[in-house]
Amino acid sequence: MRRFITADEVRKAAREASGGEKAFIYAEKEDVVTDEARDMARTLGVVISSEITRRPCICANFKMNGGPGFMDKYAAELASCLAQFYPEYAAETDVIVAPPAPLVPVALALSNKKAIYSVAGQNCYIKESGAFTGEVSPYLLRECGADYVIIGHSERRKLFAETDALVAQKLKIAIDAGLTPIMCLGENIDDRKTAKTFAVIAQMLTALYSIPIEYSKKVILAYEPVWAIGTGMNASSEQIAEVCAFIRKNIMVKLGVDFSNAIRILYGGSVNETNALEIAVIKGIDGALVGGASLKAVNFAKIIAAFKTDARSN
Ligand code: PGA
């Protein structure tokens, strides 16, 4: 929905900016900035973001599920559901499927027939090749047809002790290999209960800042509150909008307003065909990373359709 940005809002942003931090107001493309607000912003040194359109990106994360037979049926069903619900999806959105690594070439071969989706790896290692039993090279993922790779998913951080430093290394080599990383970040329930959400997110964003800026520009972020993953408890629109605004502001301070406007931020955590539209209309959210609900092609197609340009601007 269109929002009017007024001089009052600019004054408020200036008052709330703390400790030498630049005040920032995030404006979406359809928002209207009044002339008074622009003048006030100039006087008080408040940055109002320029207005750009970011292309929605919806990624299915199969996790450790599915096999060749499943993939075969899935691709056919997704193609037919998308043709039915959202025939123009390819022109407007990036649709990605992240199957388990051995299925990357299979998923790509199936997609190639109809160009249904791009393929992502769910993880990669920090080396091109060598004695790293069980790991997957980002270069091999690329060679097998992946265009994207999920990095720093909370399951990897928790179960495989991945640190922000490792995430940064993975971002860098993934980009060197020609992949676009989808970097996950999000607080756990204790962080939220103890009001540490922003501190945790800021810490996780250091991975984005510790690689060269021309690399950071290639990254897509996925805000995934850990407590919302696989629990059926998706975060509220207010919670998602608040963290998304925090992320953009943190990035604006570190990498500038244009960067902060351009980066895509997806939401993940119990997204399904019922709540997808509610999530798609949240300011600053550019797509979804979908686990459980993506395993049914019909539901994933409905989630993709929620990101239709028309549906989101109404
Ligand atoms: P979920 O998983 O949709 O099953 O909550 C999301 C994710 O882990 O990326």
Side-chain angles (χ1 to χ4, degrees), residues 201-231:
I201 299 280
Q203 171 56 36
M204 288 177 168
L205 281 170
T206 58
L208 184 69
Y209 307 141
S210 63
I211 55 176
I213 184 137
E214 60 281 13
Y215 282 72
S216 321
K217 279 185 184 154
K218 304 234 158 79
V219 176
I220 296 172
L221 295 177
Y223 168 53
E224 298 205 303
V226 181
W227 49 273
I229 296 177
T231 58

Side-chain angles (χ1 to χ4, degrees), residues 7-28:
D8 273 352
E9 192 172 334
V10 174
R11 277 191 217 96
K12 184 163 172 273
R15 267 199 312 275
E16 286 174 1
S18 54
E21 222 178 55
K22 227 173 171 33
F24 175 69
I25 293 179
Y26 181 71
E28 284 290 340

Side-chain angles (χ1 to χ4, degrees), residues 221-245:
L221 295 177
Y223 168 53
E224 298 205 303
V226 181
W227 49 273
I229 296 177
T231 58
M233 265 188 351
N234 68 301
S236 70
S237 298
E238 293 72 31
Q239 288 169 325
I240 299 170
E242 187 185 40
V243 174
C244 182

